[in-house]
Amino acid sequence: EINKGAKDGVLKGQTVIGPGGLIGLIDSTTPLTSRVRLLTDPGHQVGAWIDRTKQHGILTGMGTNRPKLIFLNKNTLAKIGDAVTTSPASTILPPNLTIGIVQFVNEKALPSPYAIVQLTASPEAIDWVQILKNNG
């Protein structure tokens, strides 16, 4: 929860970043506070991609500080150490925001391959956030 709300112009769905990159989206607001839905929240999904391979995926929160990036293609060509960012095609999030680094890749997973991503911004260790006004 953060101490800025609707009175400060915060809107549901806005992007929240911290030192190191994306941490989540505004989930709800009151006049004076806002609740952030973290990328790590179980079931929270955002579009992401690996620029090196030009591969899109869905970053899915697992309740740990390492969300899963589920790829949309069978041949991901992803490697440990690849940078994961928001998609340049995203309509929900600003493009090319840093999310994290690939820590593990499972090419053989069914129904689709996935990677485990170490976030570059640790939600539990930050003392400030910035709210981006999406598309403007």
Side-chain angles (χ1 to χ4, degrees):
E1 197 155 286
I2 55 177
N3 63 354
K4 296 283 183 205
K7 164 173 107 44
D8 303 292
V10 178
L11 301 170
K12 180 178 168 64
Q14 284 179 322
T15 304
V16 182
I17 59 171
L22 182 68
I23 60 167
L25 300 173
I26 297 293
D27 198 43
S28 61
T29 63
T30 70
L32 300 175
T33 65
S34 299
R35 186 168 290 271
V36 178
R37 181 145 194 221
L38 300 174
L39 295 178
T40 53
D41 281 3
H44 190 197
Q45 297 188 321
V46 296
W49 98 316
I50 295 177
D51 188 59
R52 186 184 64 78
T53 62
K54 309 289 188 251
Q55 294 289 324
H56 285 91
I58 306 294
L59 190 77
T60 304
M62 308 289 290
T64 69
N65 65 354
R66 290 178 162 191
K68 183 186 272 194
L69 180 59
I70 301 168
F71 292 102
L72 305 180
N73 281 359
K74 291 282 182 232
N75 300 328
T76 70
L77 308 172
K79 292 190 171 103
I80 290 170
D82 278 345
V84 179
T85 63
T86 55
S87 167
S90 177
T91 54
I92 298 170
L93 296 164
N96 307 312
L97 288 177
T98 299
I99 293 174
I101 305 291
V102 172
Q103 295 286 302
F104 172 83
V105 179
N106 184 339
E107 288 280 358
K108 309 243 178 311
L110 295 173
S112 31
Y114 70 88
I116 299 298
V117 178
Q118 178 67 54
L119 298 179
T120 41
S122 300
E124 71 284 348
I126 53 178
D127 50 10
W128 63 267
V129 298
Q130 185 178 0
I131 300 167
L132 304 180
K133 290 192 163 80
N134 298 10
N135 304 328

